[in-house]
Amino acid sequence: DAMVIQNPRYQVTQFGKPVTLSCSQTLNHNVMYWYQQKSSQAPKLLFHYYDKDFNNEADTPDNFQSRRPNTSFCFLDIRSPGLGDAAMYLCATSRVGGPGTDTQYFGPGTRLTVL
Amino acid sequence: RKEVEQDPGPFNVPEGATVAFNCTYSNSASQSFFWYRQDCRKEPKLLMSVYSSGNEDGRFTAQLNRASQYISLLIRDSKLSDSATYLCVVNPRSSNTGKLIFGQGTTLQVKP
């Protein structure tokens, strides 16, 4: 089945230790998004890729970086995780410019714990 | 003012009740609207898209009022399984990259 896959589902890291979260999709969508969601809050967009074009949100900390080596994969790198970065990280995809434009499809998320 | 605003609730209703959620948006140029459902510790899942005046899917009806800039979600004959957080989502058309704006969500708890 076509889908959005995130690995790992649960990640525990130590304060300051770099961590990478991965997302892959079989939907062949041209846009991939990374969101951070904390308890009882809406998902907060960190950045997104429109094809190879990277779009950073103005309030995304420099501690967060992203890579999209090809259409199917996108990575979220947290260079020096702090306690405040503990959250659910959601990857989403959409096909912009075609039928069903705008609708975003989410992966199951990676829950990050920072010790 | 937030771009998308929802009453966070929680809404506590008995099974079988009808419940309605409202959502307001600030950008009058917004063109597409969605309701997503999110279960506790799970990812958001698309419930309904609202592209014109509104649409219906079984027990769920979404309405759009462009003049007043709000959308609503009506759930009839509530089931225990409807308990979740409902996210109002808007494409403000401020970019062409499909960026969406999420409301903070409305929590629904359906009780036996």
Side-chain angles (χ1 to χ4, degrees):
Chain A
D1 289 341
M3 59 175 60
V4 183
I5 303 163
Q6 291 187 244
N7 285 302
R9 296 291 307 278
Y10 301 91
Q11 176 73 57
V12 180
T13 191
Q14 291 180 331
F15 183 94
K17 185 174 181 181
V19 66
T20 295
L21 311 182
S22 73
C23 177
S24 63
Q25 53 125 345
T26 60
L27 298 162
N28 201 31
H29 284 171
N30 55 350
V31 189
M32 296 185 76
Y33 310 80
W34 278 106
Y35 291 87
Q36 179 192 66
Q37 187 176 28
K38 297 185 177 181
S39 181
S40 302
Q41 296 182 20
K44 177 181 180 298
L45 183 64
L46 296 173
F47 25 58
H48 65 286
Y49 275 93
Y50 187 113
D51 293 322
K52 296 181 180 180
D53 294 332
F54 177 70
N55 298 270
N56 197 34
E57 293 301 299
D59 58 353
T60 297
D62 292 340
N63 197 25
F64 292 85
Q65 305 283 318
S66 185
R67 296 170 283 137
R68 188 180 186 186
N70 54 53
T71 301
S72 301
F73 284 86
C74 197
F75 299 96
L76 169 62
D77 300 308
I78 309 177
R79 292 191 296 183
S80 182
L83 298 179
D85 296 328
M88 173 79 94
Y89 289 87
L90 294 160
C91 174
T93 73
S94 71
R95 183 192 307 281
V96 176
T101 288
D102 301 36
T103 304
Q104 290 188 14
Y105 297 89
F106 285 82
T110 295
R111 185 163 297 278
L112 178 67
T113 300
V114 182
L115 301 177
Chain B
R1 181 184 176 187
K2 292 180 182 177
E3 291 187 77
V4 179
E5 291 200 76
Q6 297 181 248
D7 179 348
F11 285 63
N12 294 298
V13 303
E15 270 187 294
T18 295
V19 61
F21 308 137
N22 286 331
C23 167
T24 59
Y25 59 95
S26 61
N27 188 335
S28 60
S30 299
Q31 293 296 315
S32 48
F33 311 87
F34 309 87
W35 284 101
Y36 278 75
R37 171 195 169 127
Q38 186 171 26
D39 293 291
C40 186
R41 301 176 74 84
K42 300 282 190 179
E43 74 274 24
K45 292 186 178 178
L46 181 67
L47 178 66
M48 300 181 76
S49 302
V50 188
Y51 286 107
S52 55
S53 60
N55 53 312
E56 184 174 321
D57 182 4
R59 297 182 294 109
F60 299 84
T61 301
Q63 295 284 338
L64 169 64
N65 185 317
R66 290 187 184 275
S68 301
Q69 294 180 213
Y70 79 82
I71 62 174
S72 63
L73 178 67
L74 182 76
I75 305 175
R76 290 180 296 276
D77 189 23
S78 299
K79 311 292 185 189
L80 295 176
S81 58
D82 294 334
S83 299
T85 295
Y86 291 83
L87 297 163
C88 173
V89 186
V90 174
N91 183 334
R93 293 292 181 183
S94 56
S95 75
N96 63 352
T97 60
K99 176 179 172 179
L100 300 178
I101 306 298
F102 284 74
Q104 68 179 105
T106 298
T107 299
L108 172 65
Q109 184 67 45
V110 181
K111 298 188 180 297

